[in-house]
Amino acid sequence: MQQEELQDDDTWNKSTAAGSCLDLLSECAPAKIIERVVPFVEKNIADQTNWRAREAAIMAFGSILEGPSPMVLNPLIEKALPVMLTILQHDESLAVRDTAAWTVGRVCHVSKTQVTRYLKGLVGSLLHALKDEPQVAKNVCWAIHNLGELYEDDIDSQEGTLSPYLEQLIVAVLEATLRPDADESGLRPAAYETLSVLIQYMPEGNINIVERCVPLLIERLESTVNNPGLTADDLAANAESQGLLSGALSIATQRLKAPGIVQHADRMMTCYLQILNQGGGKSASVSEEVIMAIGTLADVLEGEFLKYVEAVMPILLAGLQAWDQYQVCSVAVGVIGDVCRAIEKLFTPFAEQTIGLVLAALGNNDLDKSVSS
């Protein structure tokens, strides 16, 4: 119980090291760790006079969830989860609420049985806590992220376990990306990544929610292009948003396929090309996301992608020569393959130059070996 009052996810001190140690011990000796930790949790979690005691109890409980078997864990989680949700919403200590959000996220990763049992109250608590301070909201996003993955088997269903809550969750996550403080504690990227997971595992019967999301995501992406007068910090945040939005649109493209995405393809490609031809293209991570989004669109549209090829190929060929940014080069190789498969014989005019650049890349000793493997 030696926490710093304002510690965050990057803090490394005695309390965070102790949590990591408990995590490892729970995998090595799950039965013994339960015997030692549960009494500590029960003793300290209700100590209203000492926030450090409450936070330590919650951290200890969250840290032992990966080791013990579901048979052992489920009764413990059944008892603890309602308490955690109350703490998440009402505890006066920011540190305690933050750790409670993290622990709920761990529960969403390991216990489908208990999460399903308390799902309505769980979702309500997460929606409430998503409006908390950024460091809490970031961990809430992680919990929702895990919740989406927990029910991935529902993807082909007309109605999944999460179906009654999906629209609320997506609206709330989208609102979180627009918070004035969303650039603090990594909240914005956490929220967009959570959105992508919810879209990725959306039950087929709820795919109309994705259809409604796409125009909004495109509108937001369009707003990041041709944005003069931005400061250096604003440019960095703008580039980050471009990468995150492109990633979310790529997932949505995969889910909607050609019939659902073709009507939006022109606007999407216009944005992608502008980003790569302007400031966003200077960021390797943004370039990767946008190029991969183009590859996804090519894969989905197949022959209908032909009209974009003249504009896209110079960018992809330039990516093949970005040997100092090997991730971009690697992505460009993959997306050229997507384009080639999409338009088949019509790729012939670009084949000679493409092969020449691929051979040059393979012969360059400075290029990371992962690209050629």
Side-chain angles (χ1 to χ4, degrees), residues 54-121:
R54 299 195 304 280
E55 197 275 341
I58 297 167
M59 172 64 79
F61 183 75
S63 297
I64 63 168
L65 294 178
E66 294 285 351
S69 69
M71 186 177 298
V72 174
L73 275 180
N74 277 330
L76 298 175
I77 293 174
E78 180 180 0
K79 183 178 178 180
L81 186 55
V83 177
M84 296 293 172
L85 297 178
T86 299
I87 290 171
L88 176 60
Q89 293 186 80
H90 302 298
D91 200 280
E92 63 183 18
S93 166
L94 174 59
V96 173
R97 298 195 306 277
D98 184 28
T99 303
W102 173 79
T103 299
V104 170
R106 296 269 284 187
V107 170
C108 290
H109 180 64
V110 302
S111 182
K112 191 171 187 177
T113 300
Q114 297 306 326
V115 166
T116 302
R117 177 174 183 169
Y118 291 107
L119 188 57
K120 184 176 180 180

Side-chain angles (χ1 to χ4, degrees), residues 17-35:
S20 295
C21 187
L22 278 177
D23 190 3
L24 294 172
L25 287 171
S26 75
E27 296 182 21
C28 297
K32 291 290 184 183
I33 206 74
I34 290 288
E35 293 174 7

Side-chain angles (χ1 to χ4, degrees), residues 183 227 229-240:
D183 57 339
N227 225 345
L230 295 178
T231 65
D233 288 343
D234 290 338
L235 282 170
N238 197 59
E240 179 185 63

Side-chain angles (χ1 to χ4, degrees), residues 261-284:
I261 209 69
V262 67
Q263 61 184 313
H264 305 295
D266 285 353
R267 289 177 67 191
M268 292 165 68
M269 282 302 303
T270 298
C271 286
Y272 296 157
L273 293 171
Q274 284 182 304
I275 292 168
L276 291 171
N277 284 316
Q278 296 175 6
K282 296 177 183 177
S283 166

Side-chain angles (χ1 to χ4, degrees), residues 196 199-200 210 214 217-218 221 242-257 261 268 272 288-300 335 338:
S196 293
I199 290 173
Q200 184 175 359
V210 181
V214 166
L217 294 174
I218 294 173
L221 190 58
Q242 289 174 340
L244 294 165
L245 285 161
S246 298
L249 281 168
S250 182
I251 299 294
T253 299
Q254 290 174 342
R255 291 305 314 275
L256 293 179
K257 301 184 173 59
I261 209 69
M268 292 165 68
Y272 296 157
E288 285 179 65
E289 288 289 352
V290 177
I291 292 172
M292 285 191 290
I294 290 172
T296 303
L297 201 56
D299 185 55
V300 164
V335 172
D338 293 332

Side-chain angles (χ1 to χ4, degrees), residues 40-57:
F40 175 83
V41 174
E42 292 174 339
K43 176 184 176 181
N44 290 285
I45 198 166
D47 187 347
Q48 295 303 314
T49 64
N50 186 351
W51 71 264
R52 285 184 170 85
R54 299 195 304 280
E55 197 275 341

